[in-house]
C-alpha cells in the first residue's frame, strides 16, 4: 500500500489492554506471514488458504458471516501474465530472412499487445519526449504504423549534472513510459535494446518476463531483442550504434532516423493472461438497527515480489508482508473477537478483509460496487494498514475531516490513553482501501504506524512486529468504534480537499504523492475497464468538476490522445502544465460527451 498522514503519540496504557491478547494477535501475523503462505499474492493458492484461515477464525470467535452461509465474497481479477507457446520474431534484411529464438534472442514484455503484426522499423533514440528538458527523440520523425527501435534507460546516464537525473533516472526511463510515448506518436510497436555502450561491463541480458510494471495491456506491441541484432540493422543504414549513443550523450540532441526499406519485422506475441476468482472475507456482528460501522484491512501482499518489490534483486523470493498487511488483518480478527463478546449495541460492526489491494484497491473497490449490506447504512469505515511497527509511540491517522463528528470523537478518546493528537483531515487518495469508501461517500479513518526500510521487501517479517504497542492501538480503535456504535447521531460525510496528487492517484505500484503534472481533479477507479479510465469520484471545485465531469464517467480521450488505461492518462496529463486547456472525451452511459478542462496548478 502507499500511505502517509499524521501522528498520534501513544504515551500511556490504554483502557482495554487486558481484553485483547498480544500473543494471539502475533500468532495470526506469524501464520499469515509464514513461508507456507508465500507472501499471499492475489490469485495464488496461498491467498485462498489465507482467506479460509480468516473465515475459520471468525467462526471460532462466534462472528457470523455477512452473507448467508459463507464468509467469502467472490470477484474476478486479472492476475499475472505468462508466455504462451506461439511467440515468434522474424525479420527480413534485403534478401536475408532470420528468426530469433524466444526468451534467448527476443522477449515480449508482460504488458505488450498480443497477436501477429509486421512492419518497417524506425530508430527513435531512447524513445523519450521530455519537454521539460527540451529533448524529443520523436521530433520530425514519422513513426505512424511503424515499429520504433529504442534504447533502454535515458541520455547522459553517467553524468550526475545531466538535465536528466544521471544514474537516478527519471520517469522517462520507465518501460511503461516508453511504451505509452510510442503509442501516443502512432507507433505500431516498440523494439527495445540495451544501451550496451553506456553499460560496457554489463551483459546484454533480456528483461525477465513479468518483472515490469505497467497496465495489463498497454495497447502497443513491446518486445526486446539482443543489441547485436539491432546493430546489424543500424549498420545496414551506414551508421554505428556506439557512435549514436555517444553523440546523444555529448549533444543531448536526438539521433533518430528511418532504417532501410529493406528491413521489415514480422512477429507474433502470445501472452496468456489469467483471470482468477479471489475473495474478500466478510463477517458481521449485527446491532439493533440496520446501521453499522466497517472495520477493514487488506490481507493480500506481493507474493514473490515481481514488479512491485522494492528489493528488485530479491524479486522471486517470498515477500512475507508481516506489517503490510498481516498486522492490520490480525487487528480485524482480534477486534472481531472482542466485539463478539460485547452486548448488542445500536449499530453493528462489519469486519472486512480485502484481497487485491496491492494490485490497485481491487477488493475494496469491488465491495463498494457490490456491497453485502446497504452502503448508505455504513456510518464510518475504519481502515488499518501497517499498524504493527509503531516507533516512538506514534501512529498516523487520516480522514478526521471526512466525518462531521470525528475530531470531537478523537479528542474525547485521546485523553483516555494519555495521547497527544495531531490529526490530518485528508485521507491520501490511492493510499489504501479507505479510498474506495470515500469515493462511496462513507466517512473514513485510516490508522497507520508508518513506512520503514522493510516496506515491500522480503525483510518485512513477523519478528519485527511490536505486538504490545499494536494491541494498545487496537484498544484505541475499539473505543472509537464503540463510540460510533452507540452515538445518538451518525457522522455526516464531509468532502475534504485533497492536494497530494495531480489527478487523484498514480497507477498501482507507483507513489501517489510524487506529483504527476497539473491538477485535473478526478479520482480513478483502479479496476480496469476494457478501454479508458472510470472516475470513482470527481473532486468538488476541481477542473474536472468545473468542466461538468461526473463520478462514473469513463475517460476515453485526452487532448486528442486515446486513453486505454490509467497509465495512459497519467502520461498524457504529465505532459501538460497548469493553464493548458484540454479537450477530453468521456462516455456516460450510452452517450459520448466532450468537455474542455482548464488545468490548474497542483498544490
Amino acid at each position: 500500500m502507499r500511505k502517509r498522514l499524521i501522528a498520534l503519540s501513544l504515551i500511556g496504557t490504554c483502557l482495554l489492554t487486558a481484553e485483547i491478547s498480544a500473543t494471539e494477535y502475533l500468532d495470526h501475523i506469524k501464520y499469515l506471514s509464514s513461508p507456507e503462505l508465500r507472501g499471499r499474492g492475489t490469485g495464488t493458492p496461498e491467498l485462498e488458504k489465507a482467506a479460509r484461515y480468516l473465515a475459520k477464525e471468525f467462526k471460532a470467535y462466534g462472528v457470523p458471516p455477512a452473507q448467508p452461509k459463507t464468509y467469502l465474497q467472490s470477484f474476478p481479477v486479472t492476475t499475472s501474465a505468462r508466455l504462451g507457446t506461439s511467440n515468434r520474431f522474424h525479420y527480413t534484411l534485403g534478401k536475408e530472412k532470420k528468426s530469433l529464438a524466444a526468451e534467448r534472442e527476443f522477449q515480449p514484455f508482460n504488458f505488450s499487445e498480443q497477436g501477429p503484426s509486421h512492419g518497417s522499423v524506425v530508430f527513435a533514440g531512447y524513445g523519450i519526449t521530455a519537454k521539460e528538458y527540451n529533448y524529443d527523440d520523436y521530433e520530425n520523425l514519422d513513426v505512424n504504423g511503424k515499429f520504433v527501435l529504442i534504447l533502454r534507460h535515458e541520455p547522459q546516464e553517467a553524468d550526475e549534472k545531466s538535465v536528466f537525473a544521471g544514474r537516478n533516472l527519471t520517469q522517462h526511463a520507465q518501460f511503461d513510459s516508453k511504451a505509452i510515448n510510442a503509442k501516443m506518436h502512432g507507433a505500431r510497436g516498440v523494439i527495445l535494446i540495451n544501451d550496451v555502450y553506456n553499460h560496457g561491463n554489463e551483459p546484454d541480458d533480456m528483461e525477465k518476463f513479468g518483472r515490469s510494471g505497467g497496465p495489463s495491456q498497454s495497447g502497443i506491441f513491446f518486445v526486446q531483442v539482443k543489441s547485436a541484432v539491432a546493430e546489424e540493422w543500424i549498420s545496414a543504414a551506414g551508421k554505428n550504434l556506439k557512435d549514436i549513443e555517444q553523440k546523444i550523450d555529448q549533444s543531448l540532441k536526438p539521433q533518430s532516423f528511418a532504417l532501410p526499406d529493406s528491413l521489415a519485422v514480422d512477429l507474433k506475441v502470445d501472452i496468456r493472461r489469467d483471470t482468477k476468482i479471489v475473495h474478500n472475507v466478510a463477517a458481521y456482528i449485527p446491532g439493533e438497527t440496520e446501521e453499522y460501522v466497517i472495520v477493514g484491512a487488506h490481507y493480500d501482499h506481493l507474493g514473490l515480489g515481481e514488479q512491485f518489490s522494492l528489493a528488485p534483486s530479491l524479486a522471486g523470493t517470498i515477500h512475507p508482508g508481516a506489517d503490510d498487511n498481516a498486522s492490520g488483518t490480525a487487528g480485524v480478527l482480534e477486534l472481531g473477537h472482542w466485539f463478539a463478546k460485547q452486548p448488542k449495541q445500536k449499530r453493528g460492526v462489519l469486519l472486512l478483509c480485502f484481497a487485491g489491494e496491492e494490485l490497485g484497491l481491487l477488493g475494496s473497490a469491488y465491495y463498494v460496487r457490490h456491497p453485502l449490506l446497504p452502503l448508505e447504512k455504513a456510518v464510518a469505515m475504519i481502515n488499518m494498514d501497517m499498524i504493527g511497527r509503531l516507533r516512538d509511540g506514534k501512529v498516523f491517522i487520516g480522514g478526521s475531516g471526512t466525518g462531521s463528528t470525528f475530531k470531537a470523537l478523537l479528542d474525547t478518546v485521546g485523553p483516555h490513553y494519555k495521547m497527544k493528537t495531531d490529526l490530518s483531515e485528508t485521507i491520501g487518495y490511492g493510499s489504501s482501501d479507505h479510498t474506495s469508501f470515500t469515493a462511496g461517500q462513507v466517512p473514513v479513518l485510516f490508522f497507520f504506524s508508518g513506512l520503514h526500510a522493510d516496506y515491500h521487501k522480503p525483510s518485512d517479517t513477523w519478528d519485527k512486529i511490536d505486538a504490545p504497542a499494536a494491541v494498545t492501538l487496537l484498544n484505541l480503535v475499539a473505543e472509537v468504534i464503540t463510540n460510533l456504535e452507540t452515538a445518538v447521531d451518525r457522522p455526516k460525510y464531509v468532502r475534504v480537499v485533497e492536494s497530494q496528487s495531480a489527478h487523484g492517484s498514480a497507477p498501482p505500484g507507483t507513489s501517489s504523492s510524487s506529483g504527476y503534472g497539473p491538477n485535473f481533479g478526478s479520482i480513478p477507479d483502479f479496476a480496469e475497464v476494457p478501454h479508458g479510465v472510470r472516475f470513482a469520484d470527481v473532486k468538488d471545485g476541481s477542473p474536472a468538476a468545473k468542466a461538468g465531469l461526473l463520478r462514473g464517467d469513463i475517460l476515453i480521450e485526452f487532448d486528442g490522445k486515446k486513453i486505454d488505461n490509467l497509465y495512459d492518462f497519467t502520461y498524457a496529463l504529465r505532459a501538460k502544465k497548469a493553464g493548458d486547456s484540454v479537450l477530453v472525451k468521456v462516455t456516460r452511459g450510452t452517450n459520448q460527451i466532450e468537455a474542455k478542462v482548464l488545468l490548474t496548478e497542483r498544490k
Side-chain angles (χ1 to χ4, degrees), residues 145-452:
K146 303 174 183 177
F147 284 89
V148 290
L149 174 67
I150 63 173
L151 296 163
R152 190 171 182 168
H153 301 122
E154 61 192 15
Q156 297 183 340
E157 188 181 343
D159 184 358
E160 296 298 337
K161 296 181 180 179
S162 171
V163 293
F164 286 88
R167 295 195 182 280
N168 293 322
L169 299 178
T170 71
Q171 74 273 1
H172 296 292
Q174 296 173 358
F175 297 129
D176 60 275
S177 292
K178 292 175 183 281
I180 294 166
N181 193 32
K183 183 171 71 170
M184 297 287 184
H185 281 89
R188 181 187 302 271
V190 173
I191 302 171
L192 178 81
I193 58 171
N194 287 322
D195 46 347
V196 290
Y197 294 106
N198 284 340
H199 295 264
N201 295 323
E202 297 179 12
D204 184 22
D205 289 338
M206 311 294 289
E207 182 73 10
K208 188 172 182 180
F209 184 83
R211 291 286 175 86
S212 302
S216 61
Q217 294 189 63
S218 62
I220 187 170
F221 290 93
F222 199 103
V223 301
Q224 182 180 4
V225 303
K226 288 287 189 177
S227 61
V229 174
E231 290 200 72
E232 179 188 3
W233 302 348
I234 290 170
S235 294
K239 297 180 182 289
N240 178 278
L241 181 59
K242 183 177 182 180
D243 290 344
I244 291 170
E245 289 188 26
Q246 289 177 344
K247 286 179 181 178
I248 294 175
D249 269 11
Q250 290 166 2
S251 67
L252 206 61
K253 298 294 183 182
Q255 301 292 319
S256 305
F257 59 92
L259 288 161
D261 292 339
S262 60
L263 172 66
V265 301
D266 179 13
L267 59 79
K268 181 179 180 182
V269 174
D270 179 14
I271 296 175
R272 312 290 171 85
R273 292 184 171 89
D274 298 324
T275 298
K276 296 186 178 180
I277 299 299
V278 298
H279 299 92
N280 294 326
V281 184
Y284 184 54
I285 302 169
E288 296 171 351
T289 69
E290 292 184 349
E291 291 185 334
Y292 59 96
V293 181
I294 301 169
V295 56
H298 75 91
Y299 71 100
D300 66 301
H301 193 54
L302 303 184
L304 302 183
E306 299 177 339
Q307 65 261 40
F308 297 136
S309 175
L310 290 183
S313 64
L314 297 176
T317 61
I318 293 173
H319 287 52
D323 194 25
D324 186 14
N325 185 32
S327 66
T329 305
V332 174
L333 288 174
E334 286 303 298
L335 287 171
H337 191 189
W338 190 84
F339 278 104
K341 297 186 293 184
Q342 307 308 311
K344 180 178 285 191
Q345 302 295 342
K346 177 180 179 180
R347 300 181 179 95
V349 177
L350 175 63
L351 302 123
L352 292 174
C353 298
F354 305 109
E357 192 268 0
E358 299 289 1
L359 298 181
L361 317 185
L362 300 184
S364 56
Y366 183 87
Y367 182 87
V368 169
R369 293 194 301 272
H370 305 88
L372 299 176
L373 300 175
L375 203 61
E376 66 272 13
K377 299 295 183 180
V379 303
M381 190 274 178
I382 309 297
N383 185 32
M384 299 182 295
D385 199 343
M386 294 177 65
I387 62 168
R389 293 177 62 171
L390 287 92
R391 295 184 298 277
D392 301 321
K394 292 182 179 179
V395 60
F396 296 86
I397 300 179
S400 65
T402 65
S404 59
T405 65
F406 282 171
K407 289 182 181 177
L409 171 57
L410 291 166
D411 286 344
T412 299
V413 171
H416 299 165
Y417 299 82
K418 298 181 181 179
M419 290 185 191
K420 180 181 178 182
T421 61
D422 181 13
L423 305 177
S424 169
E425 294 186 357
T426 60
I427 64 161
Y429 279 114
S431 56
S432 188
D433 289 306
H434 56 282
T435 298
S436 300
F437 290 86
T438 304
Q441 300 190 358
V442 176
V444 302
L445 286 173
F446 172 36
F447 291 84
F448 167 51
S449 62
L451 290 175
H452 45 69

